[in-house]
Amino acid sequence: MDIGVQENQLSELKLKCNHIRQQIIKMVHHAQSGHIGGSLGATELVVSLYYHLMKHRPDDPLWPQRDRFVLSKGHCTPVLYAVLADLGYFPQEDLWTFRRPGSHLQGHPYQPKTPGVEATTGALGIGFSTALGMALVAKQRKEDHYYYVVCGDGEIQEGEIWEAAMFANKYKLDNVIAFVDRNYLQTDGNSEDIMPLDPLAPKWEAFGWSTFEIDGHDIGQIIETVTRARDCQGPVMIIANTVKGKGVSFMENAVGWHGGVPSQEDTDKALTELTNGA
Amino acid sequence: MELKQTRQGYVDALIELGQEVPELVVLDADVGKATLTLQFQEKYPDRFFNCGVQEQNMLAVAAGMSLEGKIPFASTFGVFATCRAGDQLRNAIAYPKANVKLGITHCGLSVGGDGASHQSNEDMAIVRSFPNMTLLVPGDYQEARLATKAAIYHQGPVYLRLGRDKYPVVPEIHGSFEIGKAKILKRGQDITIVSTGIMISEALKAHQQLTDSGISTRLIHMPTVKPLDDEVVLTAARETAGIVTVEEHSVIGGLGEAVAGVVTGTHPCPVQRIGVQDVFGESGMAPDLFDKYGLRAANVVAAAHQILNRIKTKTP
């Protein structure tokens, strides 16, 4: 099927991911605090949405017809802030105030302060429900924009997620396209040891959601799947298989990089790897 | 004496406001028969959202609806709004200052038969401690109507604390309602009673008894617990010997501690707190529970005498 993405666009998006990953490393190193692993792992998802799939206007963040993005796994602000700054929602130099007193770039997204941030999230589960409330209003008003949500896989252990899953099905929220960033790692270890989630797709289907399962680092597949998801009747959950820490060899699949802070040496090594890989 | 439900005042106001404010929507968590929001649903079926038994999701959904320009009123019982969904109340509503109103019923001991699991005697403590929250505790049916109307025109989150039972209609507190303003019902120079919510009827009785025994008693009704009308409290602290606070809530974290917090910093005076004494309630008819847990005029009068006697014994 024609998904409207050319080879040259794909290479540009890949380059963009590389740049965003470098920014993530620099931000967390500069702040000496933040969540690198989940941010690196979600980079293709967030980049594909903001640079290809979503209609939005960085110079008019509250443009009513825009698609909305809610980062429900709110700890992964580095990837979101790096993208919003790159697009011009706020100055690039703000990134170096991340997690500092007085900054609008809080550790977790804070909607009232940061241009482009649609919802205040961070307490896991809340962003997902909030996005559904927003989507319900838009559906009632027969508006045609979409609500894109990214949840962590650890996050969906929250009871609220399953409350929300029932709610979206009740109101047939066909303007919601959500992702589970399925990297199998959460703070304390492997999700299947901590609180098993598999089999994931049947759970969502039992709750009335359409599901897709994709490689969450394959930009072409992300774009194609979201394009198909728009034609589904109700809410859609895309299970995006990802590698936590993707793009930096020593951070990949290493649980310590959930909230770990890179030293100067780690930072140099990571940036060199990314520069060479670009 | 006429008895009416504060929750009915809330829902009557919602139905009136439905005409006036097209962005008003109402959410409930499968207690619409009890919170009475099903009456709103009858009139405005497209503007009512029953979220089922899921208070956590409901409060965050309400926050989301407010981000798209709606003015959601979410209703459930006090225990569920503040304890079960306390995280969503804090992080989805209070923290981003979402324009969500909480019409919360079945607060306090007067829930009655359902017992301690359903009697929220802690909700004011929780709500008060969250920045950005406004806490309204109307005293009767009519004041609940007025408070609901004030809430919808206030930008930001408001918690309306309502009860289950029928409570005395108190004409003294009718008239205008302004968020943050106390109502001084009786002037007096010896001692002050500060009451909130439906305790106003007991406070009025206590006022009468004290007056009859020759004690000049000031009576202040405090339908806004946050932000508190500090000025009225401080004036009472300066002009009378002490303050007795009265609330259908734990003595921890509610009106009594709010009043004490104001006076200690500026003009310390004795503050005696009438309320539930750091215990869970139990099943029973509301009047029996008020007797057992000390929420009666007699308790207020005794506390007033304690303050006055202490001062007398100190005087040489």
Side-chain angles (χ1 to χ4, degrees), chain A residues 150-190:
Chain A
V150 173
C151 295
D153 55 355
E155 177 180 14
I156 68 171
Q157 292 165 354
E158 286 281 7
E160 181 184 356
I161 291 288
W162 301 100
E163 294 183 358
M166 283 185 252
F167 181 89
N169 177 49
K170 175 182 174 182
Y171 289 104
K172 301 287 173 229
L173 298 179
D174 51 7
N175 52 354
V176 171
I177 298 176
F179 297 86
V180 179
D181 183 355
R182 185 70 171 122
N183 57 31
Y184 282 87
L185 289 181
Q186 53 192 104
T187 312
D188 282 351
N190 186 294

Side-chain angles (χ1 to χ4, degrees), chain A:
Chain A
M1 96 192 253
D2 177 20
I3 54 157
V5 57
Q6 311 294 327
E7 268 310 313
N8 63 328
Q9 288 178 306
L10 279 179
S11 359
E12 271 174 37
L13 289 169
K14 278 181 198 165
L15 271 176
K16 188 58 78 180
C17 288
N18 189 287
H19 170 68
I20 295 299
R21 286 195 162 96
Q22 296 191 37
Q23 295 291 77
I24 291 167
I25 302 286
K26 289 178 192 168
M27 277 174 75
V28 177
H29 173 65
H30 189 81
Q32 282 295 293
S33 166
H35 295 83
I36 281 188
S39 294
L40 292 174
T43 299
E44 278 82 6
L45 294 179
V46 180
V47 165
S48 303
L49 286 168
Y50 271 98
Y51 294 85
H52 190 85
L53 288 161
M54 282 168 42
K55 18 171 209 155
H56 63 112
R57 296 176 176 171
D59 57 348
D60 185 9
L62 299 177
W63 176 47
Q65 282 89 52
R66 72 194 184 281
D67 291 322
R68 274 74 155 165
F69 175 80
V70 173
L71 184 68
S72 197
K73 46 179 263 174
H75 52 285
C76 292
T77 42
V79 63
L80 177 61
Y81 294 162
V83 163
L84 292 176
D86 183 63
L87 287 164
Y89 277 92
F90 49 82
Q92 288 275 355
E93 52 268 31
D94 291 5
L95 295 179
W96 318 123
T97 67
F98 175 51
R99 288 184 172 242
R100 293 279 166 83
S103 174
H104 69 93
L105 299 180
Q106 293 296 295
H108 295 81
Y110 186 54
Q111 176 271 336
K113 276 195 175 170
T114 306
V117 167
E118 299 282 359
T120 299
T121 69
L124 296 175
I126 280 180
F128 192 53
S129 298
T130 302
L132 300 186
M134 296 163 81
L136 175 59
V137 173
K139 185 178 162 81
Q140 275 206 327
R141 288 181 182 151
K142 302 195 189 325
E143 293 168 348
D144 64 357
H145 50 262
Y146 286 92
Y147 290 80
Y148 296 99
V149 192
V150 173
C151 295
D153 55 355
E155 177 180 14
I156 68 171
Q157 292 165 354
E158 286 281 7
E160 181 184 356
I161 291 288
W162 301 100
E163 294 183 358
M166 283 185 252
F167 181 89
N169 177 49
K170 175 182 174 182
Y171 289 104
K172 301 287 173 229
L173 298 179
D174 51 7
N175 52 354
V176 171
I177 298 176
F179 297 86
V180 179
D181 183 355
R182 185 70 171 122
N183 57 31
Y184 282 87
L185 289 181
Q186 53 192 104
T187 312
D188 282 351
N190 186 294
S191 65
E192 301 313 285
D193 297 329
I194 307 282
M195 184 52 66
L197 290 165
D198 279 336
L200 206 43
K203 284 191 176 69
W204 287 97
E205 281 160 19
F207 277 75
W209 289 57
S210 300
T211 63
F212 295 88
E213 194 161 350
I214 63 167
D215 174 349
H217 300 303
D218 182 333
I219 294 169
Q221 215 183 343
I222 295 168
I223 291 171
E224 183 193 333
T225 307
V226 168
T227 308
R228 285 170 60 197
R230 288 174 180 154
D231 294 329
C232 291
Q233 293 303 307
V236 177
M237 180 57 76
I238 300 172
I239 297 159
N241 291 305
T242 61
V243 173
K244 200 163 186 164
K246 177 76 176 177
V248 177
S249 59
F250 62 94
M251 292 179 176
E252 288 190 359
N253 277 322
V255 74
W257 287 105
H258 173 82
V261 173
S263 63
Q264 186 64 53
E265 196 191 337
D266 295 329
T267 304
D268 294 342
K269 218 170 127 191
L271 292 175
T272 306
E273 259 192 41
L274 285 165
T275 309
N276 293 338

Side-chain angles (χ1 to χ4, degrees), chain B residues 194-206:
Chain B
V194 180
S195 167
T196 193
I198 54 97
M199 293 312 295
I200 187 58
S201 55
E202 289 298 315
L204 273 164
K205 282 184 215 160

Side-chain angles (χ1 to χ4, degrees), chain B residues 205-217:
Chain B
K205 282 184 215 160
H207 175 271
Q208 191 59 52
Q209 289 169 26
L210 288 165
T211 306
D212 289 349
S213 57
I215 297 164
S216 169
T217 307

Side-chain angles (χ1 to χ4, degrees), chain B residues 138-162:
Chain B
D140 72 352
Y141 164 87
Q142 172 63 9
E143 199 176 43
R145 270 187 71 223
L146 297 175
T148 306
K149 292 186 174 185
I152 202 167
Y153 292 109
H154 174 87
Q155 182 67 33
V158 179
Y159 185 96
L160 277 159
R161 188 175 200 251
L162 307 159

